[in-house]
Amino acid sequence: QVQLVESGGGLVQAGGSLRLSCAASGSIFSINVMGWYRQAPGKQRELVAIIDSGGTTTYADSVKGRFTISRDNAKNTMYLQMASLKPEDTAVYYCRAIGRGDYWGQGTQVTISS
């Protein structure tokens, strides 16, 4: 089993920055891909960014140039550095790990005020 614990969400002004963390524990060697997803009010959950075991990253067009996904393998932690935040970035952000299974974190609220 894999457990994912997110932290770092909160309220920030438009144009500001925020960093989300996702700490993985359990059968971490079974993880192939990790990513961040978000779900805004009234919308479906969508991909924000992914990073594979080789460090290759992919971003949604809406966050390219503003968000950076990274990982610290020694700490078994994935990060999402968010900059130039916009009100439309407001959503619940979820950490996901895919390997032997499909695992999700509990989600953390990110609210951007104008």
Side-chain angles (χ1 to χ4, degrees):
Q1 262 284 353
V2 174
Q3 295 80 44
L4 304 173
V5 179
E6 298 150 319
S7 61
L11 174 66
V12 67
Q13 300 289 332
S17 300
L18 201 63
R19 188 174 78 160
L20 306 182
S21 299
C22 175
S25 61
S27 301
I28 58 175
F29 294 110
S30 69
I31 299 173
N32 294 322
V33 181
M34 297 187 71
W36 290 96
Y37 293 71
R38 67 186 182 187
Q39 188 165 20
K43 297 181 64 178
Q44 292 187 298
R45 192 171 299 184
E46 65 178 357
L47 173 71
V48 176
I50 56 173
I51 184 167
D52 68 13
S53 58
T56 300
T57 59
T58 303
Y59 297 90
D61 288 341
S62 59
V63 307
K64 285 180 181 177
R66 300 188 299 120
F67 291 10
T68 302
I69 188 171
S70 62
R71 65 181 184 181
D72 186 335
N73 291 331
K75 298 180 179 179
N76 298 320
T77 302
M78 178 181 66
Y79 305 95
L80 184 68
Q81 180 66 52
M82 304 183 290
S84 301
L85 286 162
K86 307 172 181 179
E88 49 262 48
D89 294 319
T90 295
V92 177
Y93 284 70
Y94 298 89
C95 177
R96 187 187 188 187
I98 303 172
R100 198 191 81 181
D102 188 354
Y103 306 95
W104 293 86
Q106 78 285 354
T108 185
Q109 177 70 48
V110 172
T111 302
I112 313 302
S113 61
S114 59

